Amino acid sequence: MISKIQKFFMIVTCWLGGVFTCLVFFQYTSRSCSFDSIHPYPQQSYKSQINSSATRQQTSPRPEKPTTTAAPQPEKPILLLWIWPENYRFDFGDCKRFYNIDGCQLTDDRNLYDQADAVLIFHKAISWDMSNLPPSPRPPFQKWIWFHVESPTNTPRVAGIENLFNLTLSYRRDADISVRYPLTVSKAPNPEFVMPKKDKLVCWFVSNTAPHTGTGTRMKFYEEFKKYIKVDVFGMMAGNRLNEQDYYPTMASCKFYLSFENSIHRDYITEKLNGPLSVGTVPVVLGPPRQNYEEFAPGDSFIHVNDFPNASVLADYLIRLDKDEEAYRRYFDWRKHVTATPHLIERLQEFIIYICHACEYIGRHREYKAAHDIYKWYFS
Ligand SMILES: *[C@@H]1O[C@H](CO)[C@@H](O)[C@H](O)[C@H]1NC(C)=O
Ligand SMILES: *[C@@H]1O[C@H](CO)[C@@H](O)[C@H](O)[C@H]1NC(C)=O
Ligand SMILES: *[C@@H]1O[C@H](CO)[C@@H](O)[C@H](O)[C@H]1NC(C)=O
């Protein structure tokens, strides 16, 4: 027969077991809840993410957390922005606001260096003697991200940094964190395209004419091209810099826009293409070969300079399209199922998209990674 004391111990043991099970259960559920919020619907476009996540929060509130036995929240990884690129500062909340990215804790507080899961280092700011890099020793769990958005022509080759990094952040498609302005494909047809009113034929916004940045090719082409067709030039080169609020409306008022990259390199296809595509203007591109462009945009959405034997034949073609409404309109057929999204254009916003996408990446990837010989990768 069981004694009273044995009975008492059995009851206590069962009770303790129950509490333990509860604890484990709560820990598990609260973990999976917050983890979910770090991975918001990765397959959807940013706009629909904002809507669907808002709906979700309304319809399925999180379960109440137990107050006394609260399990620690899994911390979001810390991403430390070591140097502000060009000192263009912005509110880190913009990542959530513009891209619905919230997967890391972004900071510029160097006191958090020892805890930072990743450090974002802007290549152009690295001094030639490397003295402004983060201190050694580096915490063993920490990843350094090489953050560079210029083409190889405009890349200072600081010696000694080739093997310091774990991840690359660039416009290049084969970067670890590849940041581009992607066009979005939709299954349902888009609303009918309404062509913006056009009162100019060809426009070009250009400020950088410094030959050492590789602009020689496009300048030479332009000098020839303008002999055969009128080009409305805006920007520092023409001494009439556009205000930010005029950028998209002015672009939209042109039938064609010269999307001329400053230097010619693989994947170096910048916002100069995205701008006209997003407002309903036909880009005339000068950059890498057509095939490379067609990896990012439909082949019938732009005109490639290389498709013509010279500037005069291209000018004739544009003049012909100007008179042939139907042929011109065919350059917008792609819009039935594909959408280009306007990018941020304020000067201080230039690097937001890159920094936010680094944050998103760090929130999702914990695996070990080293990037060896980044120059060999970048320059060859
Ligand atoms: C998001 O939701 C709002 C209101 O519910 C709606 O007006 C808007 O068109 C939606 N946006 C997208 C991108 O679905
Ligand atoms: C441009 O190319 C066309 C066709 O090859 C040729 O007839 C024309 O003379 C060329 N124009 C110039 C300015 O080189
Ligand atoms: C980061 O890269 C460095 C340099 O290759 C390497 O020594 C280090 O182990 C890597 N760390 C992580 C966490 O990936």
Side-chain angles (χ1 to χ4, degrees):
M1 212 180 122
I2 304 168
S3 76
K4 276 190 178 163
I5 293 184
Q6 278 174 318
K7 217 174 190 170
F8 173 77
F9 273 114
M10 275 169 66
I11 290 169
V12 168
T13 314
C14 289
W15 186 79
L16 280 176
V19 169
F20 180 73
T21 313
C22 283
L23 274 175
V24 169
F25 177 74
F26 277 123
Q27 173 147 3
Y28 177 74
T29 48
S30 67
R31 249 174 194 279
S32 58
C33 291
S34 28
F35 221 72
D36 193 21
S37 66
I38 301 177
H39 298 256
Y41 303 102
Q43 298 311 319
Q44 300 177 9
S45 79
Y46 293 126
K47 279 188 187 163
S48 62
Q49 278 182 37
I50 291 168
N51 268 12
S52 55
S53 59
T55 324
R56 190 169 55 124
Q57 266 161 24
Q58 282 160 12
T59 52
S60 57
R62 292 175 183 204
E64 291 266 327
K65 287 206 195 78
T67 43
T68 49
T69 56
Q73 285 283 308
E75 301 253 317
K76 285 182 190 171
I78 298 174
L79 175 57
L80 170 60
L81 180 61
W82 188 248
I83 298 171
W84 281 97
E86 312 290 357
N87 205 25
Y88 292 175
R89 287 161 191 265
F90 63 92
D91 179 350
F92 287 136
D94 284 352
C95 288
K96 176 85 180 148
R97 193 153 70 93
F98 293 128
Y99 305 110
N100 200 29
I101 289 175
D102 190 20
C104 80
Q105 182 192 333
L106 258 172
T107 181
D108 63 353
D109 181 358
R110 292 189 176 186
N111 291 322
L112 294 177
Y113 177 68
D114 287 338
Q115 299 161 52
D117 297 82
V119 182
L120 198 48
I121 300 171
F122 188 62
H123 177 74
K124 271 171 78 183
I126 301 175
S127 59
W128 288 101
D129 62 1
M130 302 193 296
S131 59
N132 61 351
L133 285 177
S136 301
R138 176 192 321 194
F141 54 84
Q142 187 174 83
K143 288 179 195 158
W144 286 14
I145 306 173
W146 187 66
F147 172 14
H148 188 53
V149 302
E150 299 281 1
S151 77
T153 300
N154 296 302
T155 303
R157 215 168 165 139
V158 181
I161 65 159
E162 297 88 328
N163 292 300
L164 289 181
F165 292 90
N166 304 88
L167 300 166
T168 52
L169 166 59
S170 149
Y171 61 86
R172 277 268 295 267
R173 225 159 33 114
D174 56 356
D176 298 302
I177 310 168
S178 171
V179 177
R180 307 199 56 89
Y181 305 101
L183 307 188
T184 321
V185 181
S186 53
K187 212 165 186 175
N190 287 328
E192 179 124 19
F193 170 59
V194 181
M195 176 127 24
K197 250 178 88 68
K198 308 282 180 187
D199 59 14
K200 296 175 209 68
L201 186 56
V202 184
C203 298
W204 192 22
F205 301 173
V206 60
S207 292
N208 170 22
T209 53
H212 72 269
T213 61
T215 57
T217 309
R218 75 178 179 197
M219 278 313 293
K220 205 173 139 215
F221 191 90
Y222 167 72
E223 291 298 335
E224 181 67 12
F225 185 60
K226 73 172 189 193
K227 292 181 194 162
Y228 309 104
I229 193 167
K230 180 173 184 322
V231 181
D232 285 283
V233 182
F234 300 86
M236 246 95 93
M237 184 177 108
N240 60 347
R241 199 172 179 283
L242 277 177
N243 287 329
E244 276 134 11
Q245 68 268 23
D246 296 331
Y247 178 89
Y248 284 122
T250 307
M251 199 177 266
S253 71
C254 316
K255 281 201 161 174
F256 303 98
Y257 178 80
L258 303 185
S259 302
F260 287 7
E261 301 298 348
N262 62 22
S263 50
I264 297 170
H265 297 277
R266 171 160 59 101
D267 294 349
Y268 191 61
I269 299 168
T270 65
E271 83 296 336
K272 293 176 180 68
L273 175 70
N274 192 64
L277 290 181
S278 65
V279 294
T281 288
V282 178
V284 176
V285 306
L286 181 151
R290 167 172 273 279
Q291 215 179 356
N292 197 194
Y293 275 89
E294 289 187 3
E295 285 169 309
F296 305 106
D300 57 358
S301 65
F302 61 90
I303 293 167
H304 200 297
V305 160
N306 295 358
D307 293 342
F308 301 85
N310 55 38
S312 131
V313 179
L314 171 61
D316 286 348
Y317 180 67
L318 300 188
I319 290 164
R320 238 179 321 149
L321 280 180
D322 183 35
K323 294 177 189 135
D324 186 344
E325 176 74 15
E326 208 187 305
Y328 178 68
R329 276 199 168 266
R330 279 201 287 272
Y331 280 95
F332 300 98
D333 283 350
W334 60 276
R335 303 177 73 100
K336 276 192 205 102
H337 291 275
V338 180
T339 310
T341 310
H343 52 270
L344 300 173
I345 52 168
E346 282 175 37
R347 195 171 54 96
L348 298 182
Q349 294 176 327
E350 182 175 346
F351 300 103
I352 297 184
I353 188 170
Y354 297 98
I355 295 168
C356 296
H357 280 81
C359 174
E360 180 182 52
Y361 183 96
I362 290 302
R364 288 191 188 163
H365 295 263
R366 313 289 168 110
E367 65 268 18
Y368 180 86
K369 179 88 176 54
H372 293 300
D373 210 343
I374 50 171
Y375 288 158
K376 190 172 161 216
W377 165 69
Y378 200 65
F379 288 104
S380 62

